[in-house]
Amino acid sequence: MNIPETSNHKIKSKILRILRQNPKAATEAFICKELQIDLEFARKQILELQEAGYEIQPAGNGFQLIHEPDNPYPWEFPGRESTIHYFKELSSTMDVAREMAGKGCPDFTVIISEFQRTGRGRLQRTWHSDAGGLYFTIVLRPRLAPIHSHRINFAASLFLAKVLQQMFHLDAKVKWPNDILVNNLKLSGMLSEMGVEADKLSYVNIGIGINVNNDPTGKEPNAVSLKKLLGTRIDRRKLLSSFLDRFQAAISGSLLENIIPQWKQYTMTIGRQVKIVTIKESYEGIARDVNENGALILEQKDGSLIEVIYGDCFHG
Ligand code: BTN
């Protein structure tokens, strides 16, 4: 695995801040003085930004930022530059996350890939990961008992739904266990893996796919993208930044203890006729509740209640 170097991300972040604050142009002398760097180094960083897709033109004795791409490069997340690892292409962000978690990477390390060759969905499905979407895995080291690890997934889906509602005024709802739907179409899915050592969680990796500017409908007719819903391209950096901030704040506080009742306010599953498909079996009935363990309580046709811990849910 080849982890891109991170040392100059902070400088790039600062150069971009100066260029944005000086839309007509920032002189080379000003950039070098502000950042305490020499001219050759400044020019090298600007060249690398240009190669990364930023349209930065010479202007007077300096540079002007004309256009920026929406790629979620580490330097686009000031304060997180050293914990975000960005790749153009991977097999799956889950693979790299597992390897990095095993090597001791810090809590809230984020692995992002523009494209995944073998993106994974739940229940051994493929997650189609064409360019334009957001595909990332967060390595978490929560102080939770393994039996409570599901709280992380419920928190991630709840806070992603909240961010989507607030940023775009979308009626984003959670479908059990952790899909985000808008107008009954799937906008986002989540997958998690955990590592346990001596009865303690050593990591929980939560992988999130969001259809943003990609068009998933050719391969997944029941899916939708933000671009389709909103009729315009969406800046993936802003969406990811809002989500990471909200989610991190939520899981570092005491919110996790009470996550299921909060999640229930954002779900569309409870009260619905559903079909639950697991790897081995399928069940039908009315979704009556989600219990403290994150299991779905299903009322079957004969009135009996069963608890389903893991599965895929189809609303009737
Ligand atoms: C599902 O709804 O079935 C879960 C989809 C999870 C997709 C994300 S994309 C980032 C991460 N890497 C993967 O290979 N899968 C998850």
Side-chain angles (χ1 to χ4, degrees), residues 139-198:
V139 179
L140 296 163
R141 302 202 181 272
R143 268 182 257 133
L144 279 177
I147 52 157
H148 293 145
S149 65
H150 64 278
R151 291 181 184 171
I152 300 280
N153 306 20
F154 281 82
S157 50
L158 168 64
F159 284 95
L160 182 56
K162 284 190 183 204
V163 164
L164 291 165
Q165 288 192 2
Q166 281 159 9
M167 279 184 86
F168 307 115
H169 310 289
L170 286 172
D171 188 20
K173 287 276 186 302
V174 193
K175 178 168 76 88
W176 182 87
N178 304 119
D179 288 352
I180 307 284
L181 305 197
V182 177
N183 306 337
N184 269 323
L185 298 168
K186 184 157 165 173
L187 188 59
S188 168
M190 297 183 188
L191 177 71
S192 70
E193 286 178 5
M194 63 177 175
V196 180
E197 264 172 45

Side-chain angles (χ1 to χ4, degrees), residues 126-146:
T126 299
W127 181 263
H128 301 286
S129 311
D130 294 340
L134 268 175
Y135 314 110
F136 59 101
T137 299
I138 311 176
V139 179
L140 296 163
R141 302 202 181 272
R143 268 182 257 133
L144 279 177

